[in-house]
Amino acid sequence: MLSVAVVGSGPSGVYTAQALLQQSLVPDVRVHVLDRLPTPYGLVRYGVAPDHEKIKSLQNSLRAVLEDERVTFVGNVGVGGADGVSPARLAELYHAVVYCVGASADRALAVPGENLPGSYSATRFVSWYSAHPDIGADPFARDALGARSAVVIGVGNVAVDVARILARGAGELRRTDVPSGALRALEESRVREVHIVGRRGPSQARFTTKELRELGALPGARVVVDPVELALDPAYAAPDGLPGALPLPAVVRRNLEVLRGWSAGGGAGAAGAVPGGVGAGGEPGPAADAGRRIRLRFFLRPVELLERGGRVAGVRFARTAPDGTGGVRDTGRYEDIEAQLVLRAVGYRGVELPGLPFDPVHGTVPHAAGRVLRGGVPSPGEYVAGWIKRGPTGVIGSNRSCAKETVASLLADAAALTRRTAAGDPLAVLREWGLRPVEWTGWLSIERAEAELGRSLGRGPVKIPDWAGLLAAARDENR
């Protein structure tokens, strides 16, 4: 029998387990899927926006893998760090360990004022409205949503997600699993203006067309696009491709078509000073209407977060322009945008797991086709898959091929791996070490508790947002 631990129960971890189950080279495989949290599914549970029900339904296919009799879910078991199992000790329990721990840190802007109250990572905001237990009671519920104007820095899907949640009516979120505290805060939100800002042009934005179009379908919200900024992008004027260059990717052409439609529809007029922006003396300008507006801005690079009264009051941007080589250059002009809430959505970085080698430049674990490298040499029985292997790139489905490559390497090593000693009952050993694993029955108990909570509120299932509540529900298997 080949005994494998997969660390991480998000898509990359579950796809790794699935690839192990579907192979035929080693007929007898047992997989333990470990997670620091008592809940499975990783970013599908705690990163996908609550109103994206189709994507969240991916949990059903992940569930089918985790319910396979050859797979055991082992929640509430951290790996690395003071309270977790070290990689060295974990290696004593299994023939092989595959680390699928993702990229949990956000990239910083590295500009003055970034740490002012009112400035957050988009990751933190997403974790809050997704009920991640590490966040719990968060300042968003107390003061951040008292902002009139919010700036989201970044032009990827995460930026679009957080802007959409800020601009969406809380009543529409009642049918989702948003936790009660977050729903109340969003109901009381004073945010009326949301700016999504990128330093480059629309043809270089990273959002998908589906995400982009959803902004225009929000009831009570208006999308505003500046035709002058769109025209700065050479690709905008030549949607079929620039002379002598490759044709634009289909997603870019579709995005430009959506933006062109919004601009032609009269939602423009934001060139120069922004209505509602910081005016002379730092006072806010007049709002044009009482509804929510989403402003898509391009060719603006953040250089400083402005302060008033000890909090964020706005963002100073340097105006950029195409440099002819695919990048941008500063023009020497600046623009201030009012904002009492700033969310940065400029990417993720992998975090070093104590006991594993780490490349701080790329934020990944050094590897060769998924085999962990220690001193440039493959480390027997240690593997990686997902973002900690390749960096935070691709979509959820990209993890399938990534996992298959790693599993192919593991299976090629299987003859040597199975000659090593593995624990007969790894869970018993973990308990001897003082850990309290939450198994699948505990997760099912959490699901029932969340369904009961939702019924008591007249809603569908509502997430439990704190560690104490999750662990209490997991232990109450008679629920």
Side-chain angles (χ1 to χ4, degrees), residues 65-148:
V65 177
L66 293 173
E67 288 184 330
D68 189 285
E69 61 182 6
R70 296 164 291 176
V71 176
T72 301
F73 173 69
V74 186
N76 197 38
V77 173
V79 177
D83 300 326
V85 182
S86 70
R89 295 194 82 184
L90 193 62
E92 299 172 6
L93 305 183
Y94 300 92
H95 293 123
V97 181
V98 186
Y99 293 92
C100 306
V101 292
S104 58
D106 65 286
R107 291 183 179 274
L109 296 174
V111 300
E114 183 172 10
N115 295 320
L116 284 168
S119 169
Y120 303 90
S121 70
T123 305
R124 187 181 179 107
F125 184 53
V126 170
S127 295
W128 171 71
Y129 65 62
S130 298
H132 196 293
D134 285 349
I135 298 298
D138 192 89
F140 290 112
R142 293 196 296 273
D143 58 6
L145 295 181
R148 297 181 303 277

Side-chain angles (χ1 to χ4, degrees), residues 250-430:
V251 64
V252 174
R253 293 199 305 272
R254 290 194 296 266
N255 287 346
L256 294 179
E257 181 180 321
V258 172
L259 294 170
R260 185 176 289 106
W262 284 338
S263 176
V274 178
V278 176
E283 292 303 316
D289 57 61
R292 288 187 171 97
R293 287 177 298 182
I294 302 170
R295 295 185 179 274
L296 284 157
R297 306 297 310 277
F298 300 98
F299 294 111
L300 293 171
R301 180 177 64 85
V303 295
E304 182 183 0
L305 270 62
L306 306 175
E307 179 269 338
R308 186 189 305 131
R311 293 184 53 83
V312 164
V315 184
R316 177 158 295 159
F317 292 93
R319 166 65 70 185
T320 63
D323 65 3
T325 65
V328 293
R329 58 177 177 80
D330 284 355
T331 64
R333 294 183 290 120
Y334 296 87
E335 178 178 332
D336 294 348
I337 297 179
E338 177 198 9
Q340 300 82 35
L341 172 61
V342 176
L343 299 172
R344 61 180 181 272
V346 292
Y348 296 92
R349 283 187 57 81
V351 177
E352 182 175 5
L353 190 70
L356 280 185
F358 188 69
D359 178 352
V361 175
H362 297 97
T364 56
V365 171
H367 72 94
R371 296 181 178 93
V372 171
L373 300 177
R374 292 183 181 271
V377 178
S379 177
E382 292 187 313
Y383 303 86
V384 286
W387 279 2
I388 199 63
K389 170 188 173 184
R390 69 182 190 274
T393 60
V395 295
I396 290 176
S398 306
N399 291 295
R400 286 187 182 275
S401 57
C402 178
K404 287 180 179 178
E405 179 191 54
T406 295
V407 168
S409 295
L410 191 158
L411 295 173
D413 302 339
L417 294 174
T418 52
R419 289 195 290 268
R420 300 170 47 175
T421 301
D425 187 352
L427 265 68
V429 178
L430 291 172

Side-chain angles (χ1 to χ4, degrees), residues 150-357:
V151 167
V152 181
I153 299 174
V155 283
N157 279 346
V158 173
V160 173
D161 273 351
V162 299
R164 191 181 66 256
I165 294 298
L166 285 170
R168 184 181 284 284
E172 301 167 55
L173 294 173
R174 282 188 56 82
R175 59 183 175 80
T176 74
D177 58 7
V178 168
S180 298
L183 186 63
R184 284 194 299 271
L186 289 167
E187 285 175 338
E188 297 169 1
S189 170
R190 295 179 58 204
V191 175
R192 290 296 177 268
E193 195 105 20
V194 182
H195 306 259
I196 305 174
V197 187
R199 67 184 179 88
R200 298 195 293 178
S203 67
Q204 295 163 315
R206 302 297 296 272
F207 37 66
T208 58
T209 308
K210 178 180 181 296
E211 293 265 359
L212 184 62
R213 284 175 174 152
E214 287 177 344
L215 295 178
L218 293 176
R222 176 185 176 215
V223 179
V224 180
V225 185
D226 183 354
V228 175
E229 289 180 349
L230 297 182
L232 289 174
D233 191 331
Y236 182 75
D240 295 327
L242 298 171
L246 293 173
L248 292 175
V251 64
V252 174
R253 293 199 305 272
R254 290 194 296 266
N255 287 346
L256 294 179
E257 181 180 321
V258 172
L259 294 170
R260 185 176 289 106
W262 284 338
S263 176
V274 178
V278 176
E283 292 303 316
D289 57 61
R292 288 187 171 97
R293 287 177 298 182
I294 302 170
R295 295 185 179 274
L296 284 157
R297 306 297 310 277
F298 300 98
F299 294 111
L300 293 171
R301 180 177 64 85
V303 295
E304 182 183 0
L305 270 62
L306 306 175
E307 179 269 338
R308 186 189 305 131
R311 293 184 53 83
V312 164
V315 184
R316 177 158 295 159
F317 292 93
R319 166 65 70 185
T320 63
D323 65 3
T325 65
V328 293
R329 58 177 177 80
D330 284 355
T331 64
R333 294 183 290 120
Y334 296 87
E335 178 178 332
D336 294 348
I337 297 179
E338 177 198 9
Q340 300 82 35
L341 172 61
V342 176
L343 299 172
R344 61 180 181 272
V346 292
Y348 296 92
R349 283 187 57 81
V351 177
E352 182 175 5
L353 190 70
L356 280 185

